[in-house]
């Protein structure tokens, strides 16, 4: 059996997926240019699985290097995580996002076509749905006009993959992640945001660890149960498992169509205030927070209908949000030496 290429395999979701793939007996090779990750992640992966994956420090924007990689490596499937993901930065530097998220995808798909690699998994996002009309949201819900260049790159990427599946032998699955949180139970790998975290849970854990003075909660005047925004927080280990299932689906030729899309969430919506309360409960820490104004571009409420992922993909979550928050907190404590 050939190798599985995991781009962005040293990143947050990629590293957990590498572990899950290796634990399933698959051979993994990683491309990651350390743009948003550390080489030490390889140590964490090796400690968990006993296998140090081969890592190439290649910038996927470098077409020549990407071509050379595929000439030298026999690959049976690709899981493409590598991308830039900061929404605010994408508004300030849209071309950086179009280059890093779109060019890299095109180069990879060109190589897949050249080397007749048919199995391709793509990291998409629930951001493609924008503000949903109906909740929970199904895969058939309309893709709304993107709220940021980052969101637009996910929409465009899905279209590029869909078009490629129509005209080549490519078989692909886009996985639309809701809000991944938490860390591996071993505390060997987890989320390592560079600079001030933009996402809720790393901001919470850094505040509890004393790195940030207080958490700002962006609005308590929405039309939700307690006025704060609602999201679907999914444990990153559950999310990682879904990639193994999706890849096996393609490798086993069990997919029903050349291009498929699945929501990856828990199906449960939790408000920001509920997340804070759950964190305080599992950590035993009192969190310093204040309510501030709404964050521009925030969706009020979004959570997944997971019926398709459960019944068609054959995957479901095993872990609770509380377990995810507890693992995130343990990871933060370990990283900070607390
Ligand atoms: P991450 O930043 O932790 O991981 C991405 C990895 O890709 C990093 O290790 C980075 O160094 C690498 N990378 C980026 N550009 C590269 C390039 N040009 N060449 C080689 N390597 C490159 O992000 P993540 O949270 O693990 O997200 C993975 C994917 O999932 C991304 O596509 C992201 O858009 C998508 N996604 C993430 C979330 C989330 O909340 N984390 C939600 C929805 C979708
Ligand atoms: C954000 C992005 C989304 C991206 C996802 C994963 C926006 C508008 N959306 O989603 O495109 O796919 O990250 O990277 O940025 N919150 C606070 N205080 C904080 C941080 C967050 O109250 O300091 C709130 C937010 O208002 C939101 C919730 O917590 O209601 C979750 O926020 P976040 O973790 O940033 O994720 P999303 O907004 O869902």
């Amino acid at each position: 059996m050939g190798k599985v290429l995991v781009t962005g395999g040293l990143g947050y979701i990629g590293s957990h997926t590498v572990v899950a793939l290796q634990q399933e007996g698959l051979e993994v090779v990683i491309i990651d240019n350390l743009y948003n990750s550390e080489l030490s992640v390889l140590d964490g992966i090796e400690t968990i699985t006993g296998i140090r994956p081969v890592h190439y420090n290649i910038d996927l924007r470098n077409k020549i290097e990407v071509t050379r990689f595929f000439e030298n490596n026999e690959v049976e499937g690709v899981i493409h995580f590598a991308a830039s993901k900061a929404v605010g930065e994408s508004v300030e530097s849209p071309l950086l996002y179009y280059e890093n998220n779109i060019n890299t995808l095109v180069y990879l798909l060109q190589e897949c076509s050249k080397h007749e690699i048919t199995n391709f998994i793509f990291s998409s996002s629930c951001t493609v749905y924008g503000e949903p009309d109906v909740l929970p949201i199904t895969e058939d819900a309309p893709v709304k006009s993107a709220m940021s260049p980052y969101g637009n790159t996910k929409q465009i990427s899905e279209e590029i993959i869909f078009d490629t599946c129509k005209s080549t032998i490519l078989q692909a699955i886009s996985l639309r992640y809701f809000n991944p949180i938490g860390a591996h139970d071993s505390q060997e790998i987890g989320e390592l945001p560079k600079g001030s975290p933009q996402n809720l849970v790393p901001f919470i854990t850094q505040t509890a660890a004393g790195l940030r003075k207080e958490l700002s909660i962006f609005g308590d005047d929405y039309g939700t149960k307690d006025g704060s925004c609602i999201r679907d927080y999914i444990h990153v280990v559950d999310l990682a498992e879904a990639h193994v299932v999706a890849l096996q689906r393609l490798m086993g030729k069990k997919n029903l169509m050349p291009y498929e899309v699945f929501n990856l969430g828990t199906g449960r919506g939790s408000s920001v205030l509920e997340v804070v309360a759950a964190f305080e409960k599992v950590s035993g820490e009192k969190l310093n927070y204040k309510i501030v104004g709404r964050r521009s571009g925030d969706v009020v409420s979004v959570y997944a209908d997971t019926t398709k992922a459960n019944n068609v993909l054959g995957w479901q979550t095993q872990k609770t949000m509380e377990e995810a928050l507890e693992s995130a907190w343990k990871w933060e404590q370990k990283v900070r030496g607390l």
Side-chain angles (χ1 to χ4, degrees):
M1 196 186 273
K3 289 176 267 199
V4 180
L5 168 61
V6 181
T7 76
L10 297 184
Y12 174 44
I13 307 168
S15 57
H16 289 81
T17 302
V18 168
V19 165
L21 291 165
Q22 289 183 330
Q23 287 176 334
E24 201 56 34
L26 290 153
E27 188 182 347
V28 174
V29 55
I30 294 172
I31 291 183
D32 198 307
N33 68 349
L34 307 176
Y35 164 84
N36 196 34
S37 51
E38 309 282 342
L39 209 48
S40 61
V41 174
L42 282 173
D43 300 330
I45 293 171
E46 188 179 6
T47 305
I48 299 168
T49 66
I51 306 162
R52 193 172 186 85
V54 175
H55 163 238
Y56 289 83
N57 187 341
I58 291 173
D59 186 333
L60 290 163
R61 290 171 296 187
N62 186 330
K63 191 171 165 51
I64 293 167
E65 289 220 16
V66 174
T67 301
R68 193 174 301 136
F69 169 86
F70 280 91
E71 281 166 2
N72 295 329
N73 288 274
E74 201 178 317
V75 166
E76 195 179 338
V78 177
I79 307 184
H80 182 38
F81 291 103
S84 302
K85 63 163 185 176
V87 176
E89 187 186 49
S90 81
V91 176
E92 281 154 32
S93 310
L95 295 179
L96 179 86
Y97 274 65
Y98 289 113
E99 184 186 31
N100 206 35
N101 295 7
I102 304 294
N103 290 16
T104 58
L105 172 68
V106 172
Y107 299 160
L108 283 171
L109 291 177
Q110 285 172 330
E111 292 306 318
C112 286
S113 180
K114 207 188 296 173
H115 296 275
E116 299 187 350
I117 299 160
T118 55
N119 309 314
F120 195 90
I121 311 276
F122 177 67
S123 297
S124 190
S125 167
C126 68
T127 192
V128 301
Y129 297 122
E131 187 74 62
D133 301 319
V134 180
L135 286 168
I137 196 153
T138 68
E139 289 81 352
D140 297 331
V143 165
K144 298 266 183 75
S145 182
M147 303 193 29
S148 69
Y150 166 74
N152 205 22
T153 68
K154 293 298 175 194
Q155 296 187 2
I156 295 168
S157 295
E158 286 201 18
E159 286 172 4
I160 290 171
I161 299 166
F162 178 58
D163 287 343
T164 310
C165 286
K166 277 197 288 193
S167 63
T168 73
I169 57 170
L170 190 76
Q171 308 283 302
I173 294 178
S174 282
L175 298 174
R176 292 178 178 162
Y177 313 153
F178 282 68
N179 289 57
I181 60 166
H184 196 267
D185 281 343
S186 64
Q187 285 126 54
E188 291 293 337
I189 53 173
E191 194 167 9
L192 275 176
K194 288 192 172 167
S196 181
Q198 307 300 309
N199 294 116
L200 178 64
V201 171
F203 208 103
I204 287 177
T205 55
Q206 288 198 8
T207 305
L211 271 82
R212 314 272 153 209
K213 203 168 120 275
E214 63 189 356
L215 168 76
S216 295
I217 293 183
F218 300 135
D220 69 347
D221 56 352
Y222 289 100
T224 59
K225 47 190 163 186
D226 59 22
S228 63
C229 291
I230 291 179
R231 297 288 184 274
D232 185 338
Y233 296 93
I234 173 170
H235 198 304
V236 68
V237 170
D238 278 333
L239 192 70
E241 285 298 334
H243 293 76
V244 179
V245 176
L247 187 67
Q248 286 170 336
R249 178 177 176 83
L250 293 180
M251 285 176 161
K253 308 212 178 306
K254 297 198 189 88
N255 51 316
L256 304 177
M257 286 177 292
Y259 179 64
E260 295 179 319
V261 175
F262 295 99
N263 283 344
L264 296 185
T266 66
R268 281 180 301 278
S270 303
S271 73
V272 178
L273 288 165
E274 283 173 340
V275 174
V276 169
F279 175 80
E280 288 183 331
K281 192 165 171 219
V282 298
S283 67
E285 300 285 326
K286 186 88 198 77
L287 195 74
N288 209 9
Y289 70 86
K290 67 167 182 217
I291 311 287
V292 300
R294 296 178 176 193
R295 179 171 73 177
S296 126
D298 258 342
V299 164
V300 180
S301 185
V302 61
Y303 51 95
D305 184 318
T306 60
T307 310
K308 190 177 172 200
N310 298 159
N311 297 346
V312 181
L313 186 61
W315 160 90
Q316 49 204 18
T317 54
Q318 306 289 334
K319 293 172 178 285
T320 62
M321 184 177 80
E322 285 72 18
E323 287 173 296
L325 290 169
E326 194 177 359
S327 66
W329 176 229
K330 284 186 179 158
W331 166 248
E332 186 73 58
Q333 288 174 293
K334 183 184 172 188
V335 170
R336 307 299 161 200
L338 298 175

